Amino acid sequence: MSDEREISALTASLARSALTRRSVLGGLAGLGAAGLLAACGTPGRKPSGGASSADGTPSPAKTPLAATDLSDTDKIVNWSNWPQYIDVGENDDHPTIAAFTKKTGIKVNYNEDYNDNDEFFAKVRPLLEAGKDTGRDVWVSTDWMVARMIRLGYLQPLDKANIPNAANLEPTLANVEFDPGRVYSLPWQSIFAGIAYNPKATGGKKITTMDQLLHDPALKGKVTLLTEMRDTVGLVMMEQGKKLASFTAADFADAIAVLQAAKDAGQIKGFTGNEYTKPLASGDTAACVAWTGDVVQLRADNPALGYALPTTGFTMSSDNFVIPAMAQHKKNAEKLINYYYDPEVMAAVVEYVNYVGPVVGIKDILTKSDPSVAKNELIFPTAETLANGQVFRSLTAEEETTFTRQFQSLVTG
């Protein structure tokens, strides 16, 4: 079995058993409120995946296949995204999409069929591998999945001439390890993972470190961690003083050992996608690893909930626009991406989804239209906060297989 196929096989059971960070958001939509119109990693799910050779050095991506672009005569674009990850209007429509169609004449076939990175990859890989059109012109993948698809030659380079608004990209996101110079991707939203807690269940105690989460006797049996390997293991490694940009296999194994000891001691009641939200709100879960966007929403209904981005470091990642090989409407997809990089448009999305938008200028817009969102440091973190964020480094195919096997054993063993 090839490394890539083994990776998919190893992660399949986790993907089936865990809700993604966005898939439960439909159930949260009723929370309402101006700053909680709906919907991070996130986390989710999350950071870099691998465009490197076995020795860790970058390896060239395979040349992607391109189809004849029908954009000039066929005014449609097919977009796959995660559930509840865009603005929604009173009639369950998407106002920004409607405005795009009115402005450009391009109809958007919008599908919320991206429920998990590995699950989605399993659907499109056979077509991509065979050099066939997936029926999609653009979709939104997490950093590490973007890296994998670049490595396999499954993504087309973006024509920036069709995306002049890419100049509005937040500078800190402009040159990332998995896609230097943003040749193949542009961020949709960014995601942070940290620690959430319910003061009623912790006896009023603030939970701000992974050490507390994994060892405080008062939390025993009331802690959940994420099925997102890069978030859960990454938070432990950072607390151990490791850098996510340069950790070793031994560092990863050490973190797994700490997590395994906590599990064996009964500290951890389970590993979840973002179905941690309801138990956290009720107090059945005292504390957990959580994504910022979820907590912003939960706080609208339960403002007492606590959240900490550990000072030793928290994980950061993005979900990104990409255009697959053999897409039939590439130019239309690039026009769509360009449209969402207009600060006014992206501000409307961020106001709704409550994640970290990648476009410069949206905070100024929201300061006028919705100050509660603009003042929320989980949506607009300070430079001091961002300095503690780290991105999980790219993995080789071999590393991804090995690390996933170790993490799966922890979660399901």
Side-chain angles (χ1 to χ4, degrees):
M1 181 182 290
S2 69
D3 284 336
E4 298 293 349
R5 292 189 184 280
E6 187 172 357
I7 291 166
S8 295
L10 286 168
T11 55
S13 62
L14 295 179
R16 288 192 295 270
S17 64
L19 294 174
T20 70
R21 64 176 172 274
R22 307 169 191 82
S23 63
V24 300
L25 294 179
L28 298 176
L31 293 178
L36 179 81
L37 296 175
C40 127
T42 190
R45 309 174 115 13
K46 296 179 134 325
S48 291
S52 304
S53 61
D55 65 0
T57 58
S59 58
K62 296 179 182 178
T63 302
L65 296 175
T68 299
D69 194 345
L70 305 177
S71 294
D72 290 340
T73 56
D74 198 7
K75 296 298 184 180
I76 63 171
V77 61
N78 300 301
W79 178 12
S80 286
N81 202 357
W82 303 75
Q84 298 294 324
Y85 209 25
I86 196 171
D87 56 305
V88 178
E90 294 181 358
N91 299 318
D92 290 330
D93 60 347
H94 305 297
T96 57
I97 289 179
F100 172 76
T101 298
K102 183 177 181 179
K103 180 178 181 179
T104 65
I106 299 170
K107 177 185 177 183
V108 181
N109 295 319
Y110 184 74
N111 295 295
E112 296 183 330
D113 59 348
Y114 200 123
N115 293 297
D116 176 272
N117 281 296
D118 282 293
E119 177 189 78
F120 187 83
F121 183 68
K123 288 191 295 188
V124 299
R125 175 173 182 150
L127 294 166
L128 292 166
E129 198 170 46
K132 296 181 179 179
D133 175 28
T134 65
R136 301 166 176 89
D137 301 304
V138 61
W139 62 60
V140 176
S141 287
T142 307
D143 293 345
W144 62 267
M145 181 55 73
V146 175
R148 184 191 295 181
M149 290 191 288
I150 291 172
R151 183 173 65 219
L152 293 170
Y154 291 166
L155 301 180
Q156 296 191 63
L158 301 174
D159 184 348
K160 298 294 179 61
N162 294 326
I163 316 175
N165 284 339
N168 296 326
L169 174 63
E170 165 59 45
T172 59
L173 297 172
N175 191 38
V176 290
E177 181 192 17
F178 66 90
D179 184 15
R182 288 290 181 180
V183 174
Y184 296 93
S185 66
L186 281 169
W188 169 244
Q189 301 290 311
S190 292
I191 306 137
F192 302 157
I195 299 169
Y197 58 93
N198 188 323
K200 290 183 179 180
T202 65
K205 184 184 299 184
K206 294 181 179 180
I207 309 301
T208 61
T209 69
M210 290 299 289
D211 183 67
Q212 285 178 283
L213 201 65
L214 298 177
H215 300 109
D216 189 332
L219 306 179
K220 187 172 182 178
K222 296 183 179 181
V223 168
T224 62
L225 306 177
L226 292 172
T227 53
E228 281 297 326
M229 177 182 76
R230 290 161 175 80
D231 290 325
T232 293
V233 182
L235 285 167
V236 174
M237 286 197 292
M238 285 184 286
E239 195 157 283
Q240 293 176 323
K242 310 303 180 184
K243 297 295 184 183
L244 297 191
S246 58
F247 70 88
T248 66
D251 296 333
F252 187 91
D254 287 345
I256 289 289
V258 169
L259 291 163
Q260 187 68 59
K263 182 180 180 181
D264 293 345
Q267 186 77 4
I268 302 168
K269 75 172 185 176
F271 292 79
T272 74
N274 61 355
E275 69 267 32
Y276 62 76
T277 54
K278 289 183 180 179
L280 175 66
S282 69
D284 290 338
T285 293
C288 60
V289 176
W291 289 296
T292 49
D294 291 338
V295 177
V296 170
Q297 295 167 51
L298 289 174
R299 277 179 165 175
D301 199 46
N302 188 349
L305 291 178
Y307 191 80
L309 292 172
T311 57
T312 53
F314 57 91
T315 55
M316 301 191 302
S317 65
S318 295
D319 294 318
N320 307 272
F321 282 120
V322 294
I323 297 176
M326 299 303 292
Q328 303 292 299
H329 308 93
K330 183 174 185 287
K331 187 190 295 185
N332 288 348
E334 289 162 345
K335 289 181 178 179
L336 179 79
I337 296 169
N338 185 64
Y339 168 77
Y340 278 99
Y341 266 67
D342 181 314
E344 293 281 354
V345 177
M346 185 58 75
V349 174
V350 169
E351 183 180 29
Y352 193 93
V353 302
N354 295 162
Y355 283 97
V356 181
V359 174
V360 173
I362 58 177
K363 184 175 183 179
D364 291 340
I365 293 167
L366 289 170
T367 296
K368 298 176 181 178
S369 64
D370 196 337
S372 65
V373 173
K375 293 177 182 178
N376 193 318
E377 290 193 6
L378 295 182
I379 301 173
F380 293 99
T382 64
E384 182 180 10
T385 296
L386 285 173
N388 287 326
Q390 296 186 36
V391 176
F392 201 99
R393 70 169 175 82
S394 293
L395 303 179
T396 65
E398 180 181 357
E399 285 178 324
E400 195 168 357
T401 301
T402 301
F403 293 168
T404 300
R405 185 188 298 117
Q406 292 177 32
F407 187 66
Q408 185 190 45
S409 178
L410 168 72
V411 174
T412 62

